[in-house]
């Protein structure tokens, strides 16, 4: 390996960037694809209810429905509250 | 029992028709009676790639509408035995394909053929959905490039939810990755996603890797499936691909940069 290669390998290649970006967007789109149609509306409704009491933004809420078996689905709700106001 | 294989990708211009022509010809060369159907209604091009554009009389939509029978419509390939082409229509609107109509034609073809290859149009509209609906297996043609990989993943989602097999609760469509326009030199420089990268992102079985090759344009220029150019890297890679599709174990070639010998370095080549 030449000196030039050494410097080259320390730099992040565009192929690496492409791979990372793809992994993130593909994972995101797969989650969305596998979730029922009502989930976005459910997320909005929950956001509205919580906003009556606490000021949170849409990024602070994450809703996902995970199918464990044929019988069991788990609705996971993640809400990040701001530190100061409670 | 005929096997129905869809050649699909989501994104346009990645090599669906080139691959359909090559794989269909390869299956026929191996002695399997094969028909390739062009599902790209309105933008027929398989005929041009197969070099039979001047022999089209009737088309897929004519058969569906009962204006012609299959015998009148199927074009027998002049170079390869066992190979037939069902061309798309050029003038009708794409709503001309109905599920019932397509199913009837496929059932009739299934009596006579070993393989039915469905060359899908780009996109995720009705035509593309129809091409994949009845499939037993899918060849997902992908370029090592971000938009193509993302679109392939969307098509994989469609294959697992919008197909007849999915709706009837049958075994899932068997999905194969066909990576085309692969350039090992650029991969080595870190300028192109590698085979491993794409496999990891899409997590499906690798069927073949076709190197970026001058032979592909030369083949389409002359209306001859590139697989018949047995001296070319792309032709050989497609032949390997067909053998893997038939269940043979074939090592992958053309994945690394060919080391140039001293003489080649001096004299070029």
């Amino acid at each position: 390996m030449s000196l030039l290669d050494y410097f080259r390998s320390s730099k992040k290649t565009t192929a690496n960037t492409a791979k990372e970006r793809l992994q993130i967007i593909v994972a995101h789109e797969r989650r969305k694809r596998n979730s029922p149609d009502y989930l976005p509306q459910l997320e909005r409704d929950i956001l509205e209810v919580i906003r009556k009491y606490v000021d949170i933004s849409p990024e602070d809420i994450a809703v996902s429905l995970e199918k464990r078996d044929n019988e069991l689905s788990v609705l996971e709700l993640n809400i990040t509250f701001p530190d100061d106001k409670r | 029992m005929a096997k129905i294989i869809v050649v699909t990708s989501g994104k346009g211009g990645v090599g669906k028709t080139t691959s359909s022509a090559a794989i269909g010809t390869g299956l026929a060369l191996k002695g399997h009676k094969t028909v390739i159907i062009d599902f790209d209604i309105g933008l027929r091009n398989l005929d041009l790639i197969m070099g039979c554009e001047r022999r089209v009389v009737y088309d897929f939509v004519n058969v569906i509408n009962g204006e012609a029978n299959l015998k009148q419509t199927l074009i027998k390939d002049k170079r390869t035995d066992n190979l037939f082409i069902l061309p798309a229509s050029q003038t009708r609107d794409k709503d001309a394909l109905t599920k019932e109509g397509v199913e009837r034609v496929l059932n009739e073809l299934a009596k006579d053929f070993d393989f039915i290859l469905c060359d899908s149009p780009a996109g995720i509209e009705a035509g593309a959905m129809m091409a994949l609906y009845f499939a037993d297996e899918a060849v997902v043609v992908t370029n090592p490039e971000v938009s193509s990989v993302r679109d392939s993943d969307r098509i994989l989602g469609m294959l697992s939810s919008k197909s007849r097999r999915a709706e009837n609760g049958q075994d899932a469509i068997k999905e194969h990755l066909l990576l085309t326009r692969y350039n090992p030199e650029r991969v080595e420089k870190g300028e192109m996603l590698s085979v491993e990268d794409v496999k990891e992102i899409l997590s499906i079985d690798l069927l073949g890797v076709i190197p970026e090759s001058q032979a592909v344009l030369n083949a389409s220029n002359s209306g001859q499936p590139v697989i018949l150019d047995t001296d070319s890297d792309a032709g050989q890679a497609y032949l390997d691909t067909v053998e893997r599709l038939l269940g043979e174990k074939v090592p992958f070639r053309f994945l690394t940069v060919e080391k140039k010998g001293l003489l080649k370095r001096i004299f070029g080549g």
Side-chain angles (χ1 to χ4, degrees):
Chain A
M1 198 184 244
S2 71
L3 200 62
L4 193 75
D5 284 325
Y6 175 76
F7 284 117
R8 199 185 274 157
S9 64
S10 64
K11 224 168 69 185
K12 195 170 162 192
T13 65
T14 58
N16 281 332
T17 312
K19 187 182 180 186
E20 280 167 24
R21 291 175 60 217
L22 272 169
Q23 278 171 327
I24 292 165
I25 191 66
V26 163
H28 176 75
E29 286 174 349
R30 278 186 195 159
R31 263 199 310 277
K32 230 170 48 186
R33 190 192 299 155
N34 295 327
S35 64
D37 300 338
Y38 61 74
L39 219 57
Q41 186 58 48
L42 178 70
E43 192 170 322
R44 278 193 291 274
D45 287 352
I46 293 171
L47 183 69
E48 281 316 302
V49 171
I50 293 172
R51 267 187 171 166
K52 281 187 190 169
Y53 307 93
V54 187
D55 186 28
I56 61 168
S57 66
E59 301 98 76
D60 297 329
I61 184 165
V63 179
S64 72
L65 192 69
E66 202 185 317
K67 215 169 175 180
R68 292 275 160 84
D69 300 300
N70 277 332
E71 316 247 310
L72 180 72
S73 291
V74 177
L75 181 72
E76 200 179 281
L77 190 58
N78 250 307
I79 304 161
T80 316
F81 273 27
D83 281 338
D84 39 345
K85 290 162 241 170
R86 199 148 296 182
Chain B
M1 242 327 246
K3 201 174 260 182
I4 304 176
I5 303 176
V6 61
V7 179
T8 184
S9 71
K11 191 175 182 298
V14 296
K16 280 182 297 296
T17 302
T18 297
S19 297
S20 298
I23 293 171
T25 303
L27 289 169
L29 285 173
K30 292 274 176 187
H32 303 281
K33 199 169 176 192
T34 303
V35 55
I36 317 175
I37 308 178
D38 190 348
F39 270 80
D40 204 344
I41 306 301
L43 289 172
R44 138 171 115 211
N45 270 324
L46 178 68
D47 56 337
L48 211 50
I49 301 297
M50 293 296 300
C52 63
E53 68 275 12
R54 299 185 61 189
R55 294 166 61 210
V56 177
V57 183
Y58 295 110
D59 60 57
F60 194 12
V61 174
N62 290 137
V63 181
I64 285 176
N65 293 343
E67 295 151 1
N69 63 35
L70 271 176
K71 209 175 165 190
Q72 296 169 293
T73 311
L74 285 175
I75 303 173
K76 189 179 183 319
D77 192 87
K78 280 195 169 157
R79 297 178 217 93
T80 316
D81 281 341
N82 303 316
L83 183 60
F84 292 81
I85 290 103
L86 182 53
S89 70
Q90 221 170 6
T91 49
R92 318 291 184 95
D93 64 309
K94 51 186 182 292
D95 299 326
L97 294 185
T98 60
K99 223 175 238 181
E100 295 72 31
V102 173
E103 184 170 26
R104 190 161 34 78
V105 175
L106 289 178
N107 284 342
E108 205 178 325
L109 288 169
K111 289 181 208 154
D112 212 25
F113 285 90
D114 303 318
F115 286 98
I116 302 172
L117 222 57
C118 303
D119 181 20
S120 172
I124 49 172
E125 301 293 308
M129 291 298 108
M130 203 61 79
L132 68 79
Y133 185 75
F134 297 98
D136 300 307
E137 299 192 19
V139 174
V140 180
V141 184
T142 308
N143 289 169
E145 177 272 327
V146 285
S147 52
S148 174
V149 175
R150 180 201 210 170
D151 289 359
S152 291
D153 191 68
R154 289 214 59 190
I155 281 294
L156 288 172
M158 304 284 175
L159 287 167
S160 61
S161 64
K162 299 277 194 291
S163 65
R164 175 168 67 174
R165 282 174 170 270
E167 283 179 7
N168 294 350
Q170 292 167 286
D171 291 341
I173 292 177
K174 205 165 159 193
E175 300 157 343
H176 308 278
L177 172 64
L178 180 62
L179 204 56
T180 55
R181 309 198 70 164
Y182 195 67
N183 187 332
E185 277 168 27
R186 302 203 72 182
V187 172
E188 211 156 87
K189 286 187 198 154
E191 296 174 349
M192 183 182 268
L193 291 163
S194 70
V195 179
E196 294 307 317
D197 291 340
V198 181
K199 258 172 71 180
E200 194 184 323
I201 293 161
L202 295 178
S203 55
I204 56 171
D205 280 342
L206 183 66
L207 180 70
V209 180
I210 313 299
E212 170 100 82
S213 168
Q214 314 243 335
V216 174
L217 184 58
N218 280 330
S220 82
N221 283 343
S222 50
Q224 181 145 273
V226 70
I227 198 168
L228 294 176
D229 185 355
T230 48
D231 293 331
S232 70
D233 47 359
Q236 292 170 16
Y238 270 117
L239 205 58
D240 291 354
T241 301
V242 168
E243 287 172 353
R244 285 187 208 103
L245 195 60
L246 292 169
E248 293 171 41
K249 280 244 177 283
V250 184
F252 287 90
R253 295 191 274 175
F254 316 112
L255 300 189
T256 48
V257 181
E258 207 182 313
K259 292 275 180 294
K260 280 191 177 171
L262 186 64
L263 285 176
K264 259 193 176 173
R265 271 193 224 186
I266 295 168
F267 298 108

